[in-house]
Amino acid sequence: DPNPGADPGADPDPGADPNPGADPDPGPGADPDPGPGADPGSCSGNSVERKIYIPLNRTAPCVRLLNATHQIGCQSSLSGDTGVIHVVENATDLDWALSTGPHPPYMILLDGKLFSREILMRLKGNPRISGLAVAAVSPAPSGGFSPGLKCPNDGFGVYSQDYGPQFSHCNGSAWNPAGSGLSYEDFPFPIFLLEDANETQVIKECYRAHNVPREGSAPQFPLCAMQLLAHMHAAASTVTCMRRSSLQSTFSINPEIVCDPLLDYNVWSSLHPINSSGKVDPGQQLILAATRLDSHSFFWNVAPGAEASVGSFVALLAAAEALQAAPGSRRLPRNVLFAFFQGETFDYIGSSRMVFDMEQEKFPLRLENIGAFLELGQVSLRQDSVLWMHTDPVSRQNRSVDSQVRDLLAALVNSSSGSGVSVREPGFSQPLPPSSFQRFLRSRRLPGVVLSDHRAAFQNK
Ligand SMILES: *[C@@H]1O[C@H](CO)[C@@H](O)[C@H](O)[C@H]1NC(C)=O
Ligand SMILES: *[C@@H]1O[C@H](CO)[C@@H](O)[C@H](O)[C@H]1NC(C)=O
Ligand SMILES: *[C@@H]1O[C@H](CO)[C@@H](O)[C@H](O)[C@H]1NC(C)=O
Ligand SMILES: *[C@@H]1O[C@H](CO)[C@@H](O)[C@H](O)[C@H]1NC(C)=O
Ligand SMILES: *[C@@H]1O[C@H](CO)[C@@H](O)[C@H](O)[C@H]1NC(C)=O
């Protein structure tokens, strides 16, 4: 980064001023002997490092993400942030780090049960905190946990001032009541998940040996400290970051990557072949069967939320395989396009790209060719083997759309009889849950149904 000083993440960084290396003992290790840390100049840096540091091997960072206007997520300063370890096993343990302890900045080792919005917001505003390591909880908390929004994809679906304003901002239907919104906050310090309970134990032992206040008085140096390093060059907003990236690649011999686009590929395939270099005849109608491929998580590459999307994309893959193997499928009057969308959590980037390509004639189909849309939402946690058929009350005000939707509902009811799964409608005036179908509806009033295991709020907590 040619201009780290302009990095907003670097300024409020408490780790930068009280340089922990200047302490009598940097002591991040379990080594009780202050000797080697006090005089690092006299011997080889590597062997000192090996004596005083214990590397953590199973961790996952929270990373920084940008959109057009904001930054969210976490980062450390360039060389990592350091602080005296303080273990927090219940909320009252926080006071020591937040106000009374004499050795700030503190690195908090937080019990996973306390990883909540309330506690993180208290830490976020306090300059005495230099970072956070969260011990994974197992089994998962029974009340559920979601760092997403109560109203996922708010503002990027179909409902707005101009289209069903009574339904915009999830009015009257909170789909994700457990959502804390933590994934959308901007934290000025690094946050890591500790995935291995044994490693958490190593840190706790060092804390107990050196850092616990004895008989009310503060512990003396040497203290046990921890350094967390997850520097992110990206800052401020996508616009800023892309400008810096292009400066780097223009003027530097070894350009440093400042930020990466969120990038992946939608996957699609059809029952009957489609000539991908031609155009499907405008009169030909097919069925688009769609689902999403991924989920978002607070910690990099640790994705408990995948549970919500895996059930549906495995089901759609199975349907595609079964259908092409079924006798008579060649003679079906309508072709079926199976589509798997990427990155839907982030403003529906997968489905909105396909809609864009269809509108720009960069796809073998046009929106007009979609005779019916069938989407699998979250389908794996059925209660009493019920699937709910969600439809859009606004487009159904049009008689012709409504009659096509009714045909679709009738076909689903018909085909579910005897299958052990019953399908039901949630009620005519309920809007669609967050779904890729909403992005298609923004461009054209297509008849469509979203199947899910939840009638209103998500079952999957
Ligand atoms: C960017 O993200 C922030 C935080 O989630 C949000 O408040 C803002 O509206 C988003 N900006 C755009 C253009 O979507
Ligand atoms: C943690 O330590 C225990 C006892 O030493 C050991 O049995 C277990 O396999 C370790 N777990 C991991 C994930 O390394
Ligand atoms: C991580 O692995 C290294 C090398 O195997 C080991 O020395 C160290 O103790 C491990 N860290 C923890 C916290 O167990
Ligand atoms: C596919 O479409 C292109 C352009 O219309 C045409 O030239 C080509 O012959 C078609 N291929 C097949 C196999 O129909
Ligand atoms: C209903 O939608 C069809 C196209 O789907 C359109 O041709 C027709 O004009 C619409 N009817 C009304 C009353 O808006």
Side-chain angles (χ1 to χ4, degrees):
D1 187 334
N3 191 7
D7 209 341
D11 298 331
D13 178 3
D17 16 48
N19 181 2
D23 284 348
D25 180 17
D31 190 342
D33 172 13
D39 189 10
S42 66
C43 51
S44 130
N46 264 345
S47 71
V48 171
E49 184 174 305
R50 241 177 293 138
K51 277 191 184 146
I52 65 172
Y53 280 87
I54 300 176
L56 297 170
N57 306 311
R58 303 254 337 264
T59 62
C62 149
V63 299
R64 167 146 293 167
L65 294 167
L66 306 174
N67 67 6
T69 51
H70 287 66
Q71 62 178 30
I72 54 174
C74 320
Q75 76 156 10
S76 71
S77 55
L78 195 54
S79 53
D81 289 325
T82 308
V84 172
I85 295 172
H86 186 66
V87 173
V88 173
E89 283 170 332
N90 49 62
T92 51
D93 295 341
L94 272 176
D95 297 337
W96 181 262
L98 291 176
S99 53
T100 50
H103 305 299
Y106 285 99
M107 263 301 159
I108 306 284
L109 173 57
L110 188 70
D111 193 287
K113 291 192 299 293
L114 300 175
F115 187 57
S116 66
R117 181 177 184 89
E118 195 235 325
I119 287 191
L120 263 82
M121 294 318 266
R122 281 176 72 189
L123 299 176
K124 176 178 161 170
N126 196 309
R128 292 167 53 97
I129 305 302
S130 60
L132 182 63
V134 182
V137 266
S138 156
S142 58
F145 174 81
S146 170
L149 300 171
K150 284 192 177 16
C151 180
N153 296 76
D154 189 15
F156 294 95
V158 68
Y159 302 112
S160 68
Q161 274 320 308
D162 308 324
Y163 191 100
Q166 70 274 32
F167 303 127
S168 63
H169 307 302
C170 297
N171 194 7
S173 48
W175 299 105
N176 187 26
S180 64
L182 275 183
S183 276
Y184 296 85
E185 292 294 331
D186 180 25
F187 293 97
F189 46 69
I191 303 180
F192 276 74
L193 178 69
L194 300 173
E195 299 181 82
D196 182 343
N198 288 354
E199 293 201 1
T200 306
Q201 210 47 44
V202 170
I203 304 174
K204 283 188 178 172
E205 274 158 25
C206 186
Y207 165 81
R208 286 197 197 103
H210 302 281
N211 294 12
V212 181
R214 309 235 176 257
E215 285 130 26
S217 67
Q220 298 299 308
F221 284 108
L223 298 173
C224 196
M226 178 157 62
Q227 182 179 41
L228 294 177
L229 172 61
H231 185 69
M232 304 279 149
H233 290 291
S237 70
T238 306
V239 186
T240 314
C241 203
M242 299 302 267
R243 189 180 62 230
R244 286 189 188 169
S245 285
S246 75
L247 276 177
Q248 279 279 320
S249 45
T250 314
F251 295 119
S252 171
I253 302 167
N254 295 311
E256 201 168 12
I257 292 164
V258 180
C259 51
D260 284 321
L262 272 168
L263 180 96
D264 218 316
Y265 295 91
N266 292 329
V267 179
W268 63 269
S269 178
S270 58
L271 182 62
H272 308 321
I274 290 177
N275 182 347
S276 62
S277 54
K279 273 271 166 277
V280 170
D281 171 30
Q284 196 184 327
Q285 302 261 289
L286 39 66
I287 294 162
L288 182 53
T291 191
R292 62 173 66 192
L293 270 180
D294 56 4
S295 70
H296 176 44
S297 153
F298 191 85
F299 294 106
W300 184 250
N301 268 351
V302 179
E307 200 182 71
S309 53
V310 167
S312 46
F313 83 66
V314 168
L316 194 61
L317 282 172
E321 187 185 31
L323 198 54
Q324 67 84 30
S329 70
R330 303 249 143 230
R331 293 188 304 278
L332 286 173
R334 284 185 175 186
N335 199 353
V336 183
L337 186 78
F338 296 94
F340 301 85
F341 296 121
Q342 288 279 5
E344 293 294 88
T345 309
F346 299 108
D347 315 344
Y348 297 117
I349 53 178
S351 53
S352 51
R353 179 58 195 253
M354 187 178 275
V355 171
F356 177 83
D357 284 349
M358 285 180 174
E359 287 177 330
Q360 302 291 312
E361 311 261 323
K362 288 180 178 145
F363 198 81
L365 306 180
R366 298 180 185 86
L367 287 168
E368 295 90 301
N369 293 119
I370 303 173
F373 198 108
L374 178 64
E375 177 166 348
L376 297 187
Q378 301 182 9
V379 291
S380 36
L381 297 177
R382 293 191 311 272
Q383 276 182 344
D384 309 323
S385 287
V386 175
L387 279 180
W388 297 94
M389 303 183 289
H390 299 270
T391 56
D392 171 40
V394 181
S395 56
R396 288 182 71 181
Q397 284 163 9
N398 176 315
R399 281 247 182 86
S400 100
V401 173
D402 186 46
S403 87
Q404 294 174 73
V405 171
R406 281 172 196 279
D407 289 348
L408 199 53
L409 295 172
L412 286 168
V413 170
N414 199 13
S415 60
S416 71
S417 70
S419 72
V421 176
S422 63
V423 288
R424 285 192 215 150
E425 284 183 76
F428 189 81
S429 60
Q430 186 177 295
L432 286 169
S435 48
S436 311
F437 180 41
Q438 293 200 22
R439 283 310 287 210
F440 285 79
L441 276 178
R442 272 167 73 128
S443 295
R444 194 177 168 89
R445 301 196 171 192
L446 299 166
V449 172
V450 176
L451 288 177
S452 78
D453 59 20
H454 54 91
R455 178 179 189 160
F458 296 155
Q459 300 256 29
N460 189 328
K461 292 187 167 55

